[in-house]
Amino acid sequence: QKEVEQDPGPLSVPEGAIVSLNCTYSNSAFQYFMWYRQYSRKGPELLMYTYSSGNKEDGRFTAQVDKSSKYISLFIRDSQPSDSATYLCAIQGDDYKLSFGAGTTVTVRA
Amino acid sequence: GAVVSQHPSWVICKSGTSVKIECRSLDFQATTMFWYRQFPKQSLMLMATSNEGSKATYEQGVEKDKFLINHASLTLSTLTVTSAHPEDSSFYICSARPGPARAFFGQGTRLTVV
């Protein structure tokens, strides 16, 4: 079993729709939860990070963590074509190493 | 957010030669940096942890003699792919963090070995 499971998609939505992404993890020792956006041939860009259960909002992005279920989510409201990218969840333990999900490829259709 | 700069962004080299990739933290000091490899349409695979002033820690299955890592200062780590072969062609990415969370990544280096 992988440490972090993420559906690779692809996911295609119309412009303006809500994009919903999620990951599950197996190690309850994980402490920090991050979402990255990666455009083709570029390094990942940090979108959100959190360390506690609950919601964290930043503009059109909301990150949600449920430690009891070992489940994390990212929601993108009012999606734009420029949001088309691969989204990676990443989870960190106390050794500072990141465990990545497979990444979900999202296309927002104009 | 913090800035991590990676150079070069792409490189083509002949089989048997060595290639050096630099990773710099521009606005913070990083005692630890990480090197990843990414194959097309796949996620990032951690290769090694680079520690300033000491030896790097390599993940299982990564050849330390093939991928030489030097972390000579608090803002610079280098990855040298020695005696490169076509199977080493990949996208290499470094990361560093200014604190316990929030790892920031370089823009990546696309290596093509011909």
Side-chain angles (χ1 to χ4, degrees):
Chain A
Q1 180 189 10
K2 289 183 182 178
E3 284 194 310
V4 183
E5 299 277 0
Q6 181 179 8
D7 185 344
L11 183 63
S12 179
V13 300
E15 184 175 358
I18 295 175
V19 176
S20 175
L21 305 165
N22 56 75
C23 292
T24 58
Y25 62 96
S26 57
N27 188 346
S28 58
F30 284 138
Q31 297 182 350
Y32 294 97
F33 307 90
M34 284 155 272
W35 284 95
Y36 288 88
R37 175 175 63 196
Q38 186 177 26
Y39 293 111
S40 181
R41 298 174 182 262
K42 300 291 184 183
E45 171 193 5
L46 180 64
L47 287 177
M48 302 282 287
Y49 78 98
T50 185
Y51 56 86
S52 58
S53 283
N55 293 353
K56 182 176 182 179
E57 193 172 310
D58 184 1
R60 296 185 296 113
F61 299 93
T62 299
Q64 202 171 71
V65 174
D66 182 346
K67 286 189 174 181
S68 63
S69 301
K70 300 189 184 69
Y71 190 88
I72 66 171
S73 301
L74 178 71
F75 300 97
I76 308 173
R77 292 184 298 280
D78 188 24
S79 58
Q80 305 295 312
S82 58
D83 294 326
S84 298
T86 296
Y87 291 81
L88 297 145
C89 63
I91 307 179
Q92 178 186 305
D94 55 11
D95 61 357
Y96 297 118
K97 291 182 181 178
L98 292 179
S99 294
F100 282 91
T104 301
T105 300
V106 174
T107 301
V108 180
R109 308 184 306 271
Chain B
V3 179
V4 176
S5 177
Q6 194 172 333
H7 178 82
S9 56
W10 61 271
V11 58
I12 301 173
C13 71
K14 291 186 177 180
S15 190
T17 61
S18 295
V19 173
K20 181 185 284 187
I21 303 169
E22 291 187 348
C23 180
R24 294 180 184 273
S25 54
L26 297 186
D27 50 1
F28 65 97
Q29 293 182 331
T31 56
T32 303
M33 293 185 177
F34 299 88
W35 287 96
Y36 295 83
R37 186 172 180 176
Q38 187 176 32
F39 292 103
K41 299 189 186 299
Q42 292 189 27
S43 191
L44 283 72
M45 180 189 78
L46 180 65
M47 298 174 64
T49 303
S50 171
N51 304 298
E52 189 268 335
S54 65
K55 291 183 179 180
T57 306
Y58 291 82
E59 295 300 300
Q60 191 173 8
V62 177
E63 299 176 59
K64 60 180 68 175
D65 295 330
K66 158 71 80 174
F67 300 102
L68 299 179
I69 291 172
N70 183 24
H71 195 150
S73 76
L74 288 171
T75 59
L76 174 63
S77 175
T78 60
L79 168 68
T80 301
V81 183
T82 63
S83 187
H85 290 284
E87 57 265 31
D88 298 324
S89 299
S90 191
F91 193 53
Y92 293 88
I93 315 172
C94 69
S95 81
R97 51 166 48 84
R102 298 189 301 142
F104 293 91
F105 287 81
Q107 56 266 57
T109 297
R110 183 159 302 281
L111 171 63
T112 302
V113 184
V114 298

